[in-house]
Amino acid sequence: MSSDIDSYDDVAQWDLNLPDGKHTVRFQHGTTSGRRVIIVDGKEVRNTGWQFKLVGKESFLVGKYKACIIIEANGLSYSYILEVDGKSLKRFVENRKKVCRTWIPGVLGKPHRVVLEKDSLNVWVDGVKLDVMGEFTDNGTETHFYIDDQPAVIRAVTSGKRREGIIYSLFIGDIQIPDALEDEVA
């Protein structure tokens, strides 16, 4: 499969921030031939060739997540909907924001992307899932790991308020790293 697919043939494009990194999904649809091409991160992952049926679904993977593009006819035009893990993209992103915490620390002058999956306690740095060491403390838990040979810790402490739940903070050395901006979040 080719990786040099021209973007001018795209009918839809979606950008996703996942724990393993940022992904771009591009979709090409030949509305006369039925041809469907899905490109993830510049690599063609599906090419149906000629098809009689112009509407339907195409399934594929984005990282470890199952994705599906739904093609629907709206009169003389088409609409394209991306679902991830069986949810609309909007709902998937909203859910990921609830179960993930993301930070973008600079370590030794280089930016990194740190993601904590709160539901599994997996820690990802720059798209790589780390083996981490967790320990209980008097105030909660600490998860220890390294970024560019610099010690890092994610501290989880209770807020004392039921609606707020647990507060997660990333420290590189003794410096607390602020949460990532909204558009950088998983």
Side-chain angles (χ1 to χ4, degrees), residues 16-23 113 115 124 126-128:
L16 296 100
N17 286 323
L18 299 175
D20 66 344
K22 295 183 178 191
H23 298 277
R113 186 168 188 268
V115 178
W124 298 75
D126 298 333
V128 177

Side-chain angles (χ1 to χ4, degrees), residues 29-35 50-54 78:
H29 183 217
T31 55
T32 54
S33 67
R35 178 179 147 272
W50 188 89
Q51 288 194 129
F52 181 70
K53 190 174 181 184
L54 297 177
Y78 293 90

Side-chain angles (χ1 to χ4, degrees), residues 14 16-18 65 81-99 186:
W14 300 272
L16 296 100
N17 286 323
L18 299 175
Y65 296 95
I81 301 165
L82 178 64
E83 288 185 347
V84 182
D85 265 4
K87 300 174 187 82
S88 70
L89 180 59
K90 181 180 178 182
R91 197 163 151 226
F92 176 80
V93 168
E94 288 169 356
N95 185 52
R96 294 302 304 162
K97 287 179 184 178
K98 289 178 188 174
V99 299

Side-chain angles (χ1 to χ4, degrees), residues 119-138:
D119 55 350
S120 64
L121 298 180
N122 289 328
V123 176
W124 298 75
V125 175
D126 298 333
V128 177
K129 184 175 154 190
L130 300 181
D131 288 324
V132 296
M133 186 176 77
E135 67 176 305
F136 290 102
T137 66
D138 291 338

Side-chain angles (χ1 to χ4, degrees), residues 2-13 26-29 35 37-39 42-44 47:
S2 174
S3 64
D4 56 347
I5 307 298
D6 291 326
S7 63
Y8 64 82
D9 291 331
D10 294 353
V11 294
Q13 178 174 314
R26 295 174 25 216
F27 183 60
Q28 300 174 355
H29 183 217
R35 178 179 147 272
V37 179
I38 299 171
I39 301 123
K43 295 180 183 156
E44 185 178 300
N47 187 337

